Amino acid sequence: MPDLLPYRTLVWLDYRLAAVFAIGLPLVLLIWAAIRQERALLRLLGIFWKVASLLLITVLLLTDNRPLGYLLALVAHLLVVASVWFWVDLNEELADLPPWRPLPFAVRSWRWGLTVYGLLGAVLSASALDCLRGGVTRAVCRAWLEAPDDLHGGAARAFEFVFGGRWTAAIAAFVGYVALVGYGVGLLQWLLVRLPKQGRVAGGF
């Protein structure tokens, strides 16, 4: 069996970069844009958060070793990148903002950083697509389950402390499936109704 330490390191790096580019930085930028009342940036970041919720759904499913999570990891990376570049109106409004201002510059830098992370993360996620066939006991597949397992342990302890109940892997997967259904319905509504009507205009996405 080949040495999987470099691969595990890359997988853990992917999760850590997700925490930076998909949670930490966009949260800071969202608060900053709200304070500055930059409507275009708020709309862009709002759309990003809606699309990026698929990353959380992926983690919930991987917590209970659900093979579907491997496919969603790939799809989520690609959708997240698309969500920050797809909109013609928001791209134009962002281009019109003075490039020397700190907030627009920070958003542009984050968008490019997110793009690089998302595309590289998609390539890495594609390497685990073979796990869809149920081989979650293999070392390559297990590498993707380590971080969700660690997060689940912390969430379970916090849930028990706050609510006095148990947060199990099965409950996490159930919540993930319910959220995925809602996500799918919203995505289909946008694809079938809003996109043909509005095109690449953010509108009421």
Side-chain angles (χ1 to χ4, degrees), residues 15 57-70 73 144-145 148-149:
Y15 280 112
I57 295 173
T58 299
V59 171
L60 289 172
L61 295 182
L62 289 178
T63 296
D64 199 33
N65 304 348
R66 302 302 172 97
L68 180 60
Y70 298 101
W144 288 93
L145 304 178
D149 286 346

CSV table of all heavy atoms in Angstrom, one decimal, residues 15 57-70 73 144-145 148-149:
chain,number,residue,atom,x,y,z
A,15,TYR,N,-9.6,20.9,4.2
A,15,TYR,CA,-10.6,21.3,5.2
A,15,TYR,C,-10.2,22.6,5.9
A,15,TYR,O,-11.1,23.5,6.2
A,15,TYR,CB,-10.7,20.2,6.3
A,15,TYR,CG,-11.6,19.1,5.8
A,15,TYR,CD1,-11.1,17.8,5.6
A,15,TYR,CD2,-13.0,19.2,5.7
A,15,TYR,CE1,-11.9,16.7,5.2
A,15,TYR,CE2,-13.8,18.2,5.3
A,15,TYR,CZ,-13.2,16.9,5.1
A,15,TYR,OH,-14.1,15.9,4.7
A,57,ILE,N,-23.5,20.6,4.3
A,57,ILE,CA,-24.3,19.4,4.1
A,57,ILE,C,-23.3,18.2,3.8
A,57,ILE,O,-23.5,17.1,4.3
A,57,ILE,CB,-25.2,19.6,2.9
A,57,ILE,CG1,-26.3,20.6,3.3
A,57,ILE,CG2,-25.9,18.3,2.5
A,57,ILE,CD1,-27.2,21.0,2.1
A,58,THR,N,-22.3,18.4,3.0
A,58,THR,CA,-21.3,17.4,2.7
A,58,THR,C,-20.6,16.9,4.0
A,58,THR,O,-20.5,15.7,4.2
A,58,THR,CB,-20.2,18.0,1.8
A,58,THR,OG1,-20.8,18.4,0.6
A,58,THR,CG2,-19.1,17.0,1.5
A,59,VAL,N,-20.3,17.8,4.9
A,59,VAL,CA,-19.6,17.4,6.2
A,59,VAL,C,-20.6,16.5,7.0
A,59,VAL,O,-20.2,15.5,7.6
A,59,VAL,CB,-19.1,18.6,7.0
A,59,VAL,CG1,-18.7,18.2,8.3
A,59,VAL,CG2,-18.0,19.3,6.2
A,60,LEU,N,-21.9,16.9,7.0
A,60,LEU,CA,-22.9,16.2,7.8
A,60,LEU,C,-23.0,14.8,7.3
A,60,LEU,O,-23.1,13.8,8.1
A,60,LEU,CB,-24.2,16.9,7.8
A,60,LEU,CG,-24.3,18.2,8.5
A,60,LEU,CD1,-25.7,18.9,8.2
A,60,LEU,CD2,-24.2,18.0,10.0
A,61,LEU,N,-23.0,14.6,6.0
A,61,LEU,CA,-23.1,13.3,5.4
A,61,LEU,C,-21.9,12.4,5.6
A,61,LEU,O,-21.9,11.2,5.9
A,61,LEU,CB,-23.5,13.3,3.9
A,61,LEU,CG,-24.8,14.0,3.6
A,61,LEU,CD1,-25.0,14.0,2.1
A,61,LEU,CD2,-26.0,13.2,4.3
A,62,LEU,N,-20.7,13.1,5.5
A,62,LEU,CA,-19.5,12.3,5.7
A,62,LEU,C,-19.3,11.9,7.2
A,62,LEU,O,-18.6,11.0,7.5
A,62,LEU,CB,-18.3,13.2,5.3
A,62,LEU,CG,-18.1,13.3,3.7
A,62,LEU,CD1,-16.9,14.2,3.4
A,62,LEU,CD2,-18.0,12.0,3.0
A,63,THR,N,-19.9,12.7,8.1
A,63,THR,CA,-19.9,12.3,9.5
A,63,THR,C,-20.4,10.9,9.7
A,63,THR,O,-19.8,10.2,10.6
A,63,THR,CB,-20.7,13.3,10.3
A,63,THR,OG1,-20.1,14.6,10.2
A,63,THR,CG2,-20.8,13.0,11.8
A,64,ASP,N,-21.4,10.5,9.0
A,64,ASP,CA,-21.9,9.2,9.1
A,64,ASP,C,-21.5,8.2,8.0
A,64,ASP,O,-22.1,7.2,7.7
A,64,ASP,CB,-23.5,9.2,9.2
A,64,ASP,CG,-24.1,8.0,9.8
A,64,ASP,OD1,-23.5,7.4,10.7
A,64,ASP,OD2,-25.2,7.6,9.3
A,65,ASN,N,-20.4,8.6,7.4
A,65,ASN,CA,-19.7,7.7,6.4
A,65,ASN,C,-20.7,7.5,5.2
A,65,ASN,O,-20.7,6.4,4.6
A,65,ASN,CB,-19.3,6.4,6.9
A,65,ASN,CG,-18.3,6.6,8.1
A,65,ASN,OD1,-17.8,7.7,8.4
A,65,ASN,ND2,-18.1,5.5,8.8
A,66,ARG,N,-21.5,8.5,4.8
A,66,ARG,CA,-22.4,8.3,3.7
A,66,ARG,C,-21.6,8.6,2.3
A,66,ARG,O,-21.1,9.7,2.2
A,66,ARG,CB,-23.6,9.2,3.8
A,66,ARG,CG,-24.4,9.0,5.1
A,66,ARG,CD,-24.9,7.6,5.2
A,66,ARG,NE,-25.5,7.3,6.5
A,66,ARG,CZ,-26.8,7.4,6.7
A,66,ARG,NH1,-27.6,7.7,5.7
A,66,ARG,NH2,-27.3,7.1,7.9
A,67,PRO,N,-21.6,7.6,1.4
A,67,PRO,CA,-20.8,7.7,0.2
A,67,PRO,C,-21.2,9.0,-0.6
A,67,PRO,O,-20.3,9.5,-1.3
A,67,PRO,CB,-21.1,6.4,-0.6
A,67,PRO,CG,-21.4,5.4,0.5
A,67,PRO,CD,-22.1,6.2,1.6
A,68,LEU,N,-22.4,9.4,-0.6
A,68,LEU,CA,-22.9,10.5,-1.3
A,68,LEU,C,-22.1,11.8,-1.0
A,68,LEU,O,-21.9,12.7,-1.8
A,68,LEU,CB,-24.4,10.8,-1.1
A,68,LEU,CG,-25.0,12.0,-1.8
A,68,LEU,CD1,-24.9,11.8,-3.3
A,68,LEU,CD2,-26.5,12.1,-1.4
A,69,GLY,N,-21.5,11.8,0.2
A,69,GLY,CA,-20.7,13.0,0.6
A,69,GLY,C,-19.5,13.2,-0.3
A,69,GLY,O,-19.1,14.4,-0.5
A,70,TYR,N,-18.9,12.2,-0.8
A,70,TYR,CA,-17.8,12.3,-1.7
A,70,TYR,C,-18.1,13.0,-3.0
A,70,TYR,O,-17.4,13.9,-3.5
A,70,TYR,CB,-17.1,10.9,-2.0
A,70,TYR,CG,-16.7,10.2,-0.8
A,70,TYR,CD1,-17.4,9.2,-0.2
A,70,TYR,CD2,-15.4,10.6,-0.2
A,70,TYR,CE1,-17.0,8.5,1.0
A,70,TYR,CE2,-15.0,9.9,1.0
A,70,TYR,CZ,-15.8,8.9,1.5
A,70,TYR,OH,-15.3,8.3,2.7
A,73,ALA,N,-18.8,16.7,-2.2
A,73,ALA,CA,-17.6,17.5,-2.0
A,73,ALA,C,-17.1,18.1,-3.3
A,73,ALA,O,-16.7,19.3,-3.4
A,73,ALA,CB,-16.5,16.6,-1.4
A,144,TRP,N,-10.9,11.3,4.2
A,144,TRP,CA,-11.9,12.3,4.1
A,144,TRP,C,-12.9,12.3,5.3
A,144,TRP,O,-13.6,13.3,5.4
A,144,TRP,CB,-12.7,12.2,2.8
A,144,TRP,CG,-11.9,12.6,1.6
A,144,TRP,CD1,-11.1,11.7,0.8
A,144,TRP,CD2,-11.7,13.9,1.1
A,144,TRP,NE1,-10.5,12.4,-0.2
A,144,TRP,CE2,-10.9,13.8,-0.1
A,144,TRP,CE3,-12.2,15.1,1.4
A,144,TRP,CZ2,-10.5,14.9,-0.8
A,144,TRP,CZ3,-11.8,16.2,0.6
A,144,TRP,CH2,-11.0,16.1,-0.5
A,145,LEU,N,-12.8,11.3,6.1
A,145,LEU,CA,-13.8,11.2,7.2
A,145,LEU,C,-13.2,11.6,8.5
A,145,LEU,O,-13.9,11.8,9.5
A,145,LEU,CB,-14.2,9.7,7.3
A,145,LEU,CG,-14.9,9.1,6.1
A,145,LEU,CD1,-15.2,7.6,6.4
A,145,LEU,CD2,-16.1,9.8,5.7
A,148,PRO,N,-14.4,15.4,9.5
A,148,PRO,CA,-15.8,15.4,10.0
A,148,PRO,C,-16.0,14.6,11.3
A,148,PRO,O,-16.9,15.0,12.1
A,148,PRO,CB,-16.6,14.7,8.8
A,148,PRO,CG,-15.7,15.0,7.6
A,148,PRO,CD,-14.3,15.0,8.1
A,149,ASP,N,-15.3,13.5,11.5
A,149,ASP,CA,-15.4,12.8,12.7
A,149,ASP,C,-15.0,13.7,13.9
A,149,ASP,O,-15.6,13.7,15.0
A,149,ASP,CB,-14.6,11.5,12.7
A,149,ASP,CG,-15.2,10.5,11.8
A,149,ASP,OD1,-16.4,10.6,11.5
A,149,ASP,OD2,-14.5,9.5,11.5
